[in-house]
Amino acid sequence: MPEFPENATDILPETKTRLEKPKLFRVLLHNDDFTTMDFVVFVLEYVFQKPESEAVAIMLKVHREGIGVAGIYPYDIAYMKQQKAMNLAKAREFPFLVSIEEE
């Protein structure tokens, strides 16, 4: 706890606060045999704010390689986007899996 000056003439030493950058997390999309390619593109555009060309490229990577990175964010944002994507998939009865991993 900082000490308060006893007299009005006392000066408090200056302290420097050092902030660390938050850890970043990858939001990963996983391929399955039921979720449509159109829906994956829609999620990338709507939830992750990707332009159509980039969304299609990510969707094709997920389709061909089984997994793709939708974005890299601080944990709170990554978690919110993951939940939003999973809720959209659940509402449309797709078994779409979205996961988070530390970068």
Side-chain angles (χ1 to χ4, degrees):
M1 188 167 196
E3 294 182 27
F4 292 100
E6 293 180 17
N7 299 325
T9 58
D10 289 345
I11 299 175
L12 289 175
E14 185 177 320
T15 59
K16 293 184 179 180
T17 303
R18 186 176 179 107
L19 298 176
E20 293 182 17
K21 290 185 178 181
K23 292 181 181 179
L24 296 178
F25 292 80
R26 286 187 210 114
V27 180
L28 303 173
L29 307 179
H30 299 267
N31 190 34
D32 62 64
D33 293 334
F34 302 101
T35 306
T36 64
M37 293 179 178
D38 290 336
F39 178 75
V40 175
V41 171
F42 166 75
V43 166
L44 287 164
E45 290 176 344
Y46 182 73
V47 177
F48 297 96
Q49 303 300 308
K50 301 291 184 188
E52 184 179 7
S53 59
E54 189 177 347
V56 169
I58 294 170
M59 177 274 298
L60 289 172
K61 180 178 171 99
V62 170
H63 180 69
R64 292 182 182 136
E65 298 177 19
I67 197 166
V69 178
I72 300 172
Y73 309 96
Y75 180 77
D76 292 341
I77 295 171
Y79 179 77
M80 185 256 329
K81 288 185 180 285
Q82 175 205 28
Q83 293 301 307
K84 192 170 186 178
M86 297 279 288
N87 288 337
L88 285 170
K90 187 176 181 180
R92 288 164 180 80
E93 298 182 356
F94 288 127
F96 190 46
L97 178 62
V98 182
S99 65
I100 300 172
E101 76 175 18
E102 191 171 340
E103 184 174 39

